[in-house]
Amino acid sequence: MNRRRWVAVFGAFALTTVAITYVMGLWVTPPDVFQGNLVRLIYVHPAVAWVAYLAYGVTSLSSIAYLWKKTRNYKWDLLAASSTEVGVVFTALTLITGSIWGRPTWGVWWTWDARLTTTALLLVLYLGYLALRRVTEDREQRAKRGAVAALIAFIDVPIVHQSVVWWKTLHQSATVFNADLNPKIHGEMAWTLLLGFLSFTAVYLWMVIKRYEIAKAEMAAEEQGIEEAIRERVGSL
Amino acid sequence: MFKAAKVIAVKDLRIELRSKVVLNQILPFVAVVLIIFAFAFNKYPALLVTVAPGLYWVTALFSSLLALQRSFSLESENNAKDALILYGLDPAGIYIGKVIAVLVEMVLLEVFLTLGIVFLYSTHLHELADLAFSSIVGTLGILAVGVTFSAMTSASKAKETILPLLLLPVVAPVLLSGTKAWENEIAGKAGLGDPWVGLLILFAAAFLALGTLTFGSVLEE
């Protein structure tokens, strides 16, 4: 099987796991004693939030790999950009699903809680990163500036988080990975939650692979355009 | 590195002394913002005293955007930035020099801003030394990131819009910590042991280190 086929098969696998999570989350699992049907958002919301953090982790690592002269390669830059684009989508999904849960539970669409504020700042931080890439035309400049901006964001996120945690906090504490590692949910609900993590991670990987391939094709097209332009000029001399 | 920093800082401050852009344009901007905030809170003038620390930092942040843009517009004319590299100046030195020059300008602006807050908003300030310290460290943090971003964007077509988008989310912790530090200092509650001041120091130190290390990559193009 060639690489393209593998990617297609993996994409089908990712979408199938999402479909199974959907069925499990909406029909198979029971409603919660306290939260009723609202609990069903737990199969989506923490999973997409995890993927957002994973995406920015990949962005940071590949940016460091690009900046370090021994490993400098445009592949790292393209991977960082692809991962950030997917990360921004998942960050927006985190905020939207959180908001849908927050309205009936907390009574408001938005509150200035530590995690919400950090996530909102993450979204604008990486939108800035993508905007910087858009306005920088030269490929090498774009890669270097993007990598430095990603590194700044990487150092900034823990400081942002710490500052808003001190500021105020109201969010649910972690359900599965809490301090004593004693999950507070069991049975099919726990399995569906874990399936949610698996399926959205698979979707992330698939989207990044696809976006990376498109970015590579864009780069090749750009190079071809430059070559043709040179040939035209040289030909007219 | 320090020699290059001194050369750049003196050069930028000399240009400012001759052109007076900060004095003639950014200082009046600070005054306008102070007056506009008073309009925004017109129904509850007493609120101005309560929110003065936040207004101080918002105004400082906005004026730092202008000062940073000015600092690098100097280098984009006639490709002066390329000349700096060709002179063989240490990039880390150029970075530190730029930070120092804009910091000196910002300190002057912030003295004016503080006076405005005292006289226009009737705010009583105590612990002046602590206030000054947290303001300088906070501003240093803003400029540590700002100089890097400014150098990246000064030559681009969308430089006016891209710099705020990049800088404001990154320096959000400075705005938050600076405001909290000011609130505590005005209330006479905490001095230099305040964790918020600690966070300001950490922010400035982290980004000064990163800026010094990466400025070469930003300039060498």
Side-chain angles (χ1 to χ4, degrees):
Chain A
M1 233 181 346
N2 65 14
R3 207 173 137 205
R4 262 191 120 146
R5 179 81 51 87
W6 269 113
V7 175
V9 169
F10 184 67
F13 164 77
L15 293 178
T16 311
T17 53
V18 170
I20 298 172
T21 311
Y22 185 76
V23 172
M24 294 284 289
L26 282 183
W27 288 289
V28 179
T29 53
D32 184 64
V33 181
F34 301 108
Q35 297 191 26
N37 281 324
L38 271 178
V39 76
R40 300 182 194 283
L41 265 170
I42 204 182
Y43 309 124
V44 178
H45 176 72
V48 291
W50 140 255
V51 169
Y53 278 95
L54 173 70
Y56 298 139
V58 170
T59 302
S60 308
L61 287 179
S62 27
S63 297
I64 292 169
Y66 182 82
L67 276 182
W68 199 32
K69 286 199 172 134
K70 278 187 188 166
T71 49
R72 182 164 293 176
N73 191 315
Y74 281 121
K75 283 181 182 171
W76 295 119
D77 176 56
L78 297 183
L79 179 61
S82 310
S83 188
T84 308
E85 273 188 24
V86 180
V88 162
V89 171
F90 276 88
T91 314
L93 281 175
T94 307
L95 290 173
I96 294 167
T97 51
S99 213
I100 293 171
W101 184 84
R103 180 74 178 97
T105 315
W106 294 335
V108 282
W109 291 108
W110 183 262
T111 176
W112 295 101
D113 150 74
R115 272 193 240 181
L116 270 77
T117 315
T118 308
T119 313
L121 279 170
L122 260 183
L123 180 68
V124 278
L125 207 65
Y126 282 97
L127 279 177
Y129 167 88
L130 292 177
L132 176 69
R133 297 186 64 93
R134 286 279 155 88
V135 299
T136 318
E137 278 165 20
D138 181 77
R139 195 203 299 165
E140 198 183 334
Q141 278 185 6
R142 183 168 57 221
K144 274 188 192 162
R145 291 174 182 180
V148 172
L151 213 56
I152 289 176
F154 177 66
I155 295 178
D156 198 44
V157 170
I159 306 180
V160 167
H161 185 71
Q162 191 53 49
S163 63
V164 285
V165 163
W166 280 351
W167 189 38
K168 55 181 75 174
T169 196
L170 184 91
H171 200 280
Q172 290 268 68
S173 59
T175 306
V176 178
F177 301 107
N178 50 4
D180 48 2
L181 280 176
N182 175 23
K184 289 177 190 159
I185 61 169
H186 293 286
E188 57 205 10
M189 290 170 93
W191 285 116
T192 311
L193 180 64
L194 291 179
L195 181 67
F197 274 84
L198 175 79
S199 61
F200 284 106
T201 309
V203 168
Y204 159 77
L205 288 173
W206 178 58
M207 284 171 84
V208 169
I209 293 169
K210 282 305 245 187
R211 184 64 188 89
Y212 177 79
E213 282 179 349
I214 294 169
K216 240 169 61 175
E218 278 171 348
M219 200 167 89
E222 207 178 294
E223 269 170 18
Q224 205 180 346
I226 294 170
E227 271 173 25
E228 273 170 19
I230 293 173
R231 216 175 298 136
E232 266 173 35
R233 295 282 165 88
V234 174
S236 68
L237 275 176
Chain B
M1 181 173 94
F2 292 106
K3 206 175 156 198
K6 196 180 151 198
V7 169
I8 296 292
V10 170
K11 170 191 79 81
D12 277 13
L13 290 172
R14 189 175 295 141
I15 293 175
E16 172 49 32
L17 271 180
R18 289 179 187 166
S19 65
K20 297 191 177 58
V21 168
V22 173
L23 187 72
N24 290 338
Q25 289 167 31
I26 308 183
L27 197 76
F29 170 78
V30 170
V32 170
V33 174
L34 279 172
I35 295 168
I36 281 178
F37 277 141
F39 293 160
F41 293 94
N42 76 37
K43 215 170 172 190
Y44 308 99
L47 252 187
L48 279 172
V49 180
T50 320
V51 297
L55 299 184
Y56 172 89
W57 280 103
V58 170
T59 316
L61 190 52
F62 286 163
S63 44
S64 72
L65 282 171
L66 298 180
L68 283 165
Q69 266 168 352
R70 164 70 188 156
S71 171
F72 277 90
S73 73
L74 296 175
E75 311 301 347
S76 56
E77 278 171 33
N78 301 325
N79 291 332
K81 200 162 78 178
D82 295 342
L84 289 183
I85 303 163
L86 290 174
Y87 286 148
L89 288 172
D90 181 9
I94 300 177
Y95 169 78
I96 303 277
K98 284 279 175 195
V99 172
I100 292 172
V102 188
L103 183 67
V104 170
E105 294 166 4
M106 282 304 298
V107 167
L108 295 176
L109 286 172
E110 284 177 25
V111 169
F112 176 74
L113 175 59
T114 311
L115 289 175
I117 281 183
V118 169
F119 289 108
L120 295 177
Y121 300 172
S122 312
T123 312
H124 297 286
L125 300 182
H126 316 282
E127 318 285 347
L128 279 180
D130 292 352
L131 277 177
F133 181 78
S134 54
S135 298
I136 292 174
V137 176
T139 310
L140 192 60
I142 295 173
L143 301 181
V145 195
V147 165
T148 307
F149 279 148
S150 224
M152 283 183 190
T153 55
S154 64
S156 84
K157 277 178 279 179
K159 57 176 181 260
E160 295 87 359
T161 41
I162 192 86
L163 182 64
L165 177 58
L166 283 172
L167 187 61
L168 295 183
V170 174
V171 298
V174 174
L175 196 71
L176 199 53
S177 315
T179 305
K180 286 287 176 184
W182 260 62
E183 279 174 5
N184 292 342
E185 282 151 8
I186 286 178
K189 271 195 287 191
L192 297 180
D194 188 355
W196 291 107
V197 179
L199 209 60
L200 287 175
I201 297 173
L202 174 76
F203 188 95
F207 285 107
L208 276 175
L210 184 72
T212 313
L213 288 174
T214 56
F215 209 65
S217 292
V218 174
L219 280 187
E220 132 213 341
E221 279 159 5

Coordinates of all heavy atoms in Angstrom, one line a residue, chain A residues 67 69 72 121 124-125 127-129 131-133 135-137 140-141 144-146 148-149 151-153 155-156 159-160 162-164 166-167, chain B residues 81 145 148-149 151-153 156-158 162 165-166 169-173 176-177 180 195-196 199 202-203 206-207 210 214 217-218 220-221:
Chain A
L67 N 15.0 25.9 14.7 CA 15.9 26.9 15.1 C 17.3 26.4 15.4 O 18.3 27.0 15.2 CB 15.4 27.6 16.4 CG 14.4 28.8 16.2 CD1 14.1 29.4 17.5 CD2 15.0 29.8 15.3
K69 N 20.6 24.7 14.7 CA 21.2 24.6 13.3 C 21.4 23.2 12.8 O 21.4 22.9 11.6 CB 22.5 25.4 13.3 CG 22.1 26.9 13.3 CD 23.3 27.8 12.9 CE 22.7 29.2 12.7 NZ 23.6 30.2 13.3
R72 N 18.2 21.9 11.4 CA 17.4 22.9 10.6 C 16.9 22.3 9.2 O 17.7 21.9 8.5 CB 18.2 24.2 10.4 CG 17.4 25.2 9.6 CD 18.0 26.6 9.7 NE 17.9 27.1 11.1 CZ 18.4 28.2 11.4 NH1 19.1 29.0 10.6 NH2 18.3 28.6 12.7
L121 N -6.6 33.0 25.8 CA -5.3 33.7 25.4 C -4.5 32.8 24.5 O -3.9 33.3 23.6 CB -4.5 34.0 26.7 CG -4.9 35.3 27.4 CD1 -4.3 35.4 28.8 CD2 -4.6 36.5 26.6
V124 N -5.7 33.4 20.9 CA -5.3 34.6 20.3 C -3.8 34.6 20.1 O -3.2 35.1 19.1 CB -5.7 35.9 21.0 CG1 -7.1 36.2 20.6 CG2 -5.6 35.8 22.5
L125 N -3.0 34.0 21.0 CA -1.6 33.8 20.9 C -1.2 33.1 19.6 O -0.4 33.6 18.8 CB -1.1 33.0 22.1 CG 0.3 33.2 22.6 CD1 0.4 34.6 23.2 CD2 0.5 32.2 23.7
L127 N -3.3 32.5 17.0 CA -3.8 33.2 15.8 C -2.8 34.3 15.4 O -2.6 34.5 14.2 CB -5.1 33.9 16.2 CG -6.4 33.0 16.2 CD1 -7.6 33.8 16.6 CD2 -6.6 32.5 14.8
G128 N -2.1 34.9 16.4 CA -1.0 35.9 16.1 C 0.1 35.2 15.3 O 0.6 35.7 14.4
Y129 N 0.5 34.0 15.8 CA 1.5 33.2 15.1 C 1.2 33.0 13.7 O 2.0 33.2 12.8 CB 1.7 31.9 15.9 CG 2.5 30.9 15.2 CD1 3.9 30.8 15.3 CD2 1.9 29.9 14.4 CE1 4.7 29.9 14.7 CE2 2.7 28.9 13.7 CZ 4.1 28.9 13.9 OH 4.8 28.0 13.2
A131 N -1.0 34.7 11.8 CA -1.0 36.0 11.1 C 0.4 36.4 10.7 O 0.7 36.9 9.6 CB -1.7 37.0 12.0
L132 N 1.4 36.2 11.7 CA 2.8 36.6 11.4 C 3.3 35.8 10.2 O 4.0 36.3 9.3 CB 3.6 36.3 12.6 CG 5.1 36.5 12.4 CD1 5.4 38.0 12.3 CD2 5.9 35.9 13.6
R133 N 2.9 34.5 10.1 CA 3.4 33.7 9.0 C 2.7 34.2 7.7 O 3.4 34.2 6.6 CB 3.0 32.2 9.1 CG 3.6 31.6 10.3 CD 3.3 30.1 10.3 NE 3.8 29.5 9.2 CZ 5.0 28.9 9.1 NH1 5.7 28.8 10.2 NH2 5.4 28.3 8.0
V135 N 1.9 37.3 6.9 CA 2.4 38.6 6.4 C 3.9 38.5 6.0 O 4.5 39.5 5.5 CB 2.3 39.8 7.4 CG1 0.8 40.0 7.7 CG2 3.1 39.6 8.7
T136 N 4.6 37.4 6.3 CA 6.0 37.3 6.0 C 6.1 36.5 4.7 O 5.8 35.3 4.6 CB 6.8 36.6 7.1 OG1 6.3 37.1 8.3 CG2 8.3 36.8 7.0
E137 N 6.6 37.1 3.6 CA 6.6 36.4 2.3 C 7.8 35.5 2.1 O 7.6 34.5 1.5 CB 6.5 37.5 1.2 CG 5.0 37.9 1.0 CD 4.9 39.2 0.2 OE1 5.8 39.5 -0.5 OE2 3.8 39.8 0.3
E140 N 12.4 31.8 4.2 CA 13.3 31.6 5.3 C 13.0 32.5 6.4 O 13.0 32.1 7.6 CB 14.8 31.8 4.8 CG 15.8 31.3 5.7 CD 17.2 31.6 5.3 OE1 17.4 31.8 4.1 OE2 18.1 31.6 6.2
Q141 N 12.6 33.7 6.1 CA 12.2 34.7 7.2 C 11.0 34.1 7.9 O 10.9 34.2 9.1 CB 11.8 36.0 6.5 CG 13.0 36.9 6.2 CD 12.5 38.3 5.7 OE1 11.3 38.5 5.7 NE2 13.4 39.1 5.3
K144 N 12.0 31.3 10.3 CA 12.7 31.8 11.5 C 11.8 32.5 12.4 O 11.8 32.3 13.6 CB 13.9 32.6 11.0 CG 15.1 31.8 10.7 CD 16.3 32.7 10.5 CE 17.4 32.0 9.8 NZ 18.4 32.9 9.2
R145 N 11.1 33.5 11.8 CA 10.2 34.3 12.7 C 9.2 33.5 13.3 O 8.9 33.7 14.5 CB 9.6 35.4 11.8 CG 10.6 36.5 11.4 CD 10.0 37.5 10.5 NE 11.1 38.4 10.0 CZ 10.8 39.4 9.2 NH1 9.6 39.6 8.7 NH2 11.8 40.2 8.9
G146 N 8.6 32.6 12.5 CA 7.6 31.7 13.1 C 8.1 30.9 14.3 O 7.5 30.8 15.3
V148 N 10.7 31.6 16.2 CA 10.9 32.4 17.4 C 9.6 32.8 18.1 O 9.5 32.7 19.3 CB 11.7 33.7 17.1 CG1 11.8 34.6 18.2 CG2 13.1 33.3 16.6
A149 N 8.6 33.1 17.3 CA 7.2 33.4 17.9 C 6.7 32.2 18.6 O 6.1 32.4 19.7 CB 6.3 33.9 16.8
L151 N 8.4 29.9 20.0 CA 9.2 29.7 21.3 C 8.7 30.7 22.3 O 8.6 30.3 23.5 CB 10.6 29.9 20.9 CG 11.7 29.1 21.7 CD1 11.4 27.6 21.5 CD2 13.1 29.5 21.2
I152 N 8.4 31.9 21.9 CA 7.9 32.9 22.9 C 6.6 32.4 23.5 O 6.4 32.5 24.7 CB 7.7 34.3 22.2 CG1 9.1 34.9 21.9 CG2 6.9 35.2 23.0 CD1 9.1 36.2 21.1
A153 N 5.7 31.9 22.6 CA 4.4 31.4 23.1 C 4.6 30.2 24.0 O 4.0 30.2 25.1 CB 3.5 31.0 21.9
I155 N 7.1 29.6 26.1 CA 7.6 30.1 27.4 C 6.4 30.8 28.1 O 6.3 30.8 29.3 CB 8.8 31.0 27.2 CG1 10.0 30.2 26.7 CG2 9.2 31.6 28.5 CD1 11.2 30.9 26.4
D156 N 5.6 31.5 27.3 CA 4.6 32.4 27.8 C 3.4 31.6 28.5 O 2.9 32.0 29.5 CB 4.0 33.3 26.7 CG 3.3 34.4 27.3 OD1 3.8 35.1 28.2 OD2 2.2 34.8 26.8
I159 N 3.5 30.9 32.2 CA 3.4 32.1 33.0 C 2.0 32.7 33.0 O 1.4 33.1 34.0 CB 4.4 33.2 32.5 CG1 5.8 32.6 32.4 CG2 4.4 34.4 33.3 CD1 6.9 33.6 31.9
V160 N 1.4 32.6 31.8 CA 0.0 33.0 31.6 C -0.9 32.2 32.6 O -1.7 32.7 33.4 CB -0.5 32.8 30.2 CG1 -2.0 33.0 30.1 CG2 0.1 33.8 29.2
Q162 N 0.0 30.5 35.3 CA 0.2 30.7 36.7 C -0.5 32.1 37.1 O -1.1 32.1 38.2 CB 1.7 30.8 37.0 CG 2.1 30.9 38.4 CD 1.5 29.7 39.2 OE1 1.5 28.6 38.8 NE2 0.8 30.0 40.3
S163 N -0.4 33.1 36.2 CA -0.9 34.4 36.6 C -2.4 34.3 36.7 O -3.0 34.8 37.7 CB -0.5 35.4 35.7 OG -1.0 35.2 34.4
V164 N -3.1 33.6 35.8 CA -4.5 33.5 35.9 C -5.0 32.6 37.0 O -6.1 32.8 37.6 CB -5.3 33.2 34.6 CG1 -5.2 34.4 33.7 CG2 -4.7 32.1 33.9
W166 N -3.6 32.4 39.9 CA -3.5 33.2 41.1 C -4.7 34.2 41.1 O -5.2 34.6 42.1 CB -2.2 34.0 41.2 CG -1.1 33.2 41.7 CD1 -1.1 32.0 42.2 CD2 0.3 33.6 41.7 NE1 0.1 31.6 42.6 CE2 1.0 32.5 42.2 CE3 1.0 34.7 41.2 CZ2 2.4 32.6 42.4 CZ3 2.3 34.8 41.4 CH2 3.0 33.7 42.0
W167 N -5.0 34.6 39.9 CA -6.1 35.6 39.7 C -7.4 35.1 40.3 O -8.0 35.7 41.1 CB -6.2 36.0 38.2 CG -7.0 37.1 37.9 CD1 -7.1 38.3 38.6 CD2 -7.8 37.3 36.7 NE1 -8.0 39.1 37.9 CE2 -8.4 38.5 36.8 CE3 -8.1 36.4 35.7 CZ2 -9.3 39.0 35.8 CZ3 -9.0 36.9 34.7 CH2 -9.6 38.1 34.8
Chain B
K81 N 18.6 48.7 9.0 CA 18.8 47.4 9.7 C 19.9 46.6 9.1 O 20.7 46.0 9.9 CB 17.5 46.6 9.7 CG 17.4 45.6 10.8 CD 16.0 45.2 11.1 CE 15.5 44.2 10.1 NZ 14.1 43.7 10.3
V145 N 9.9 41.3 25.1 CA 9.2 40.6 24.0 C 8.9 41.5 22.8 O 9.1 41.2 21.7 CB 7.8 40.1 24.4 CG1 7.3 39.0 23.5 CG2 7.9 39.5 25.8
T148 N 11.7 42.1 20.2 CA 11.8 40.9 19.2 C 10.7 41.0 18.2 O 11.0 40.9 17.0 CB 11.7 39.6 20.0 OG1 12.7 39.7 21.1 CG2 12.0 38.4 19.1
F149 N 9.5 41.1 18.6 CA 8.3 41.2 17.7 C 8.4 42.3 16.8 O 8.1 42.2 15.6 CB 7.0 41.2 18.5 CG 6.5 39.9 19.0 CD1 5.8 39.8 20.2 CD2 6.8 38.7 18.3 CE1 5.4 38.6 20.6 CE2 6.3 37.5 18.7 CZ 5.6 37.4 19.9
A151 N 11.1 43.9 15.7 CA 12.2 43.6 14.7 C 11.6 42.7 13.6 O 12.0 42.8 12.5 CB 13.4 43.0 15.4
M152 N 10.8 41.7 14.0 CA 10.2 40.8 13.1 C 9.3 41.4 12.1 O 9.2 41.0 10.9 CB 9.4 39.7 13.8 CG 10.2 38.7 14.5 SD 9.0 37.5 15.1 CE 10.1 36.6 16.2
T153 N 8.5 42.4 12.6 CA 7.4 42.9 11.8 C 7.6 44.3 11.2 O 6.8 44.7 10.3 CB 6.1 43.0 12.7 OG1 6.4 43.9 13.8 CG2 5.7 41.7 13.2
S156 N 7.4 44.5 7.4 CA 6.3 43.8 6.7 C 5.2 44.9 6.4 O 5.2 46.0 7.0 CB 5.7 42.7 7.6 OG 4.8 43.2 8.5
K157 N 4.4 44.5 5.4 CA 3.4 45.5 4.9 C 2.3 45.8 6.0 O 1.8 46.9 6.1 CB 2.7 44.9 3.7 CG 3.5 45.1 2.4 CD 2.8 44.5 1.2 CE 3.1 43.0 1.2 NZ 2.5 42.3 0.1
A158 N 2.0 44.8 6.9 CA 1.0 44.9 7.8 C 1.5 45.3 9.2 O 1.0 44.8 10.2 CB 0.1 43.7 7.9
I162 N -0.1 44.0 12.9 CA 0.4 42.7 13.4 C 1.1 42.8 14.7 O 1.0 41.9 15.5 CB 1.4 42.0 12.3 CG1 1.7 40.6 12.6 CG2 2.7 42.7 12.2 CD1 0.6 39.6 12.1
L165 N -1.4 42.5 17.7 CA -1.9 41.1 17.7 C -0.9 40.1 18.3 O -1.3 39.2 19.0 CB -2.3 40.7 16.3 CG -2.9 39.2 16.1 CD1 -4.1 39.0 17.0 CD2 -3.2 38.9 14.7
L166 N 0.4 40.3 18.0 CA 1.4 39.4 18.5 C 1.7 39.7 20.0 O 1.8 38.8 20.8 CB 2.7 39.6 17.7 CG 2.7 38.9 16.4 CD1 4.0 39.3 15.6 CD2 2.7 37.4 16.5
P169 N -1.4 39.5 23.5 CA -1.7 38.2 24.3 C -0.5 37.7 25.1 O -0.6 37.2 26.2 CB -2.0 37.2 23.2 CG -2.2 37.9 22.0 CD -1.6 39.3 22.1
V170 N 0.7 37.9 24.5 CA 1.9 37.4 25.2 C 2.2 38.2 26.5 O 2.5 37.6 27.5 CB 3.2 37.6 24.3 CG1 4.4 37.2 25.0 CG2 3.0 36.7 23.1
V171 N 1.9 39.5 26.5 CA 2.2 40.3 27.7 C 1.0 40.4 28.7 O 1.1 41.1 29.6 CB 2.7 41.7 27.4 CG1 4.0 41.6 26.6 CG2 1.7 42.5 26.6
A172 N 0.0 39.6 28.4 CA -1.2 39.6 29.3 C -0.8 39.3 30.8 O -1.3 40.0 31.7 CB -2.2 38.5 28.9
P173 N 0.2 38.4 31.0 CA 0.6 38.2 32.5 C 1.2 39.5 33.1 O 1.0 39.7 34.3 CB 1.7 37.1 32.4 CG 1.5 36.5 31.1 CD 0.9 37.4 30.2
L176 N -1.7 41.7 34.1 CA -2.4 41.2 35.2 C -1.5 41.4 36.5 O -2.0 41.9 37.5 CB -2.6 39.7 35.0 CG -3.7 39.0 35.8 CD1 -5.0 39.7 35.7 CD2 -3.8 37.6 35.2
S177 N -0.3 41.0 36.4 CA 0.6 41.0 37.6 C 0.9 42.5 37.9 O 0.9 42.8 39.1 CB 2.0 40.3 37.3 OG 1.8 39.1 36.7
K180 N -2.1 43.9 39.7 CA -2.2 43.4 41.1 C -1.2 44.0 42.0 O -1.4 44.3 43.1 CB -2.1 41.9 41.0 CG -3.3 41.2 40.5 CD -4.5 41.3 41.5 CE -5.7 40.7 40.9 NZ -6.9 40.8 41.9
P195 N 4.2 38.2 45.5 CA 4.4 37.2 44.5 C 4.1 37.8 43.1 O 4.7 37.3 42.1 CB 3.3 36.1 44.8 CG 2.4 36.7 45.8 CD 3.2 37.8 46.5
W196 N 3.3 38.8 43.0 CA 3.0 39.4 41.7 C 4.2 40.1 41.1 O 4.5 40.1 39.9 CB 1.8 40.4 41.8 CG 0.5 39.8 42.0 CD1 -0.2 39.8 43.2 CD2 -0.2 39.0 41.1 NE1 -1.3 39.1 43.0 CE2 -1.4 38.5 41.8 CE3 0.0 38.5 39.8 CZ2 -2.4 37.7 41.2 CZ3 -1.0 37.7 39.2 CH2 -2.1 37.3 39.9
L199 N 6.4 37.5 39.8 CA 6.0 37.1 38.5 C 6.5 38.0 37.4 O 7.0 37.6 36.3 CB 4.5 36.9 38.4 CG 3.9 35.9 37.4 CD1 4.4 34.5 37.7 CD2 2.4 35.9 37.4
L202 N 10.2 37.3 36.9 CA 10.3 36.1 36.1 C 10.1 36.3 34.7 O 10.8 35.9 33.8 CB 9.4 35.0 36.7 CG 9.3 33.7 35.9 CD1 10.6 32.9 36.2 CD2 8.1 32.9 36.2
F203 N 9.0 37.0 34.4 CA 8.6 37.3 33.0 C 9.7 38.1 32.3 O 10.2 37.7 31.2 CB 7.3 38.1 33.0 CG 6.7 38.3 31.6 CD1 5.8 37.4 31.1 CD2 7.1 39.3 30.7 CE1 5.2 37.6 29.8 CE2 6.6 39.5 29.5 CZ 5.6 38.6 29.0
A206 N 12.9 35.8 31.8 CA 12.7 34.8 30.8 C 12.8 35.4 29.4 O 13.5 34.8 28.5 CB 11.4 34.1 31.0
F207 N 12.1 36.5 29.2 CA 12.1 37.0 27.8 C 13.3 37.8 27.4 O 13.6 37.8 26.2 CB 10.8 37.7 27.6 CG 9.6 36.8 27.4 CD1 8.7 36.6 28.4 CD2 9.5 36.0 26.3 CE1 7.6 35.7 28.3 CE2 8.5 35.0 26.2 CZ 7.6 34.9 27.2
L210 N 15.6 34.9 26.4 CA 15.2 34.4 25.0 C 15.5 35.4 23.9 O 16.0 35.0 22.9 CB 13.7 34.1 25.0 CG 13.2 33.4 23.8 CD1 13.7 32.0 23.7 CD2 11.7 33.5 23.6
T214 N 17.9 34.7 20.7 CA 17.3 34.5 19.4 C 17.4 35.7 18.5 O 17.0 35.6 17.3 CB 15.8 34.1 19.5 OG1 15.1 35.1 20.2 CG2 15.6 32.8 20.2
S217 N 18.9 35.2 15.1 CA 18.0 34.5 14.1 C 17.0 35.5 13.5 O 16.7 35.4 12.3 CB 17.3 33.4 14.7 OG 18.1 32.4 15.1
V218 N 16.6 36.5 14.3 CA 15.6 37.4 13.8 C 16.2 38.4 12.8 O 15.6 38.7 11.8 CB 14.9 38.2 15.0 CG1 14.0 39.3 14.5 CG2 14.2 37.2 15.9
E220 N 19.4 38.1 11.2 CA 20.2 37.5 10.0 C 19.2 36.9 9.0 O 18.5 35.9 9.3 CB 21.1 36.4 10.6 CG 21.1 35.1 9.9 CD 21.4 33.9 10.9 OE1 21.9 34.1 12.0 OE2 21.1 32.8 10.5
E221 N 19.0 37.6 7.9 CA 18.0 37.1 6.9 C 18.5 37.1 5.5 O 19.3 37.9 5.1 CB 16.8 38.0 7.0 CG 15.9 37.6 8.2 CD 15.0 38.7 8.7 OE1 14.9 39.7 8.0 OE2 14.3 38.4 9.7

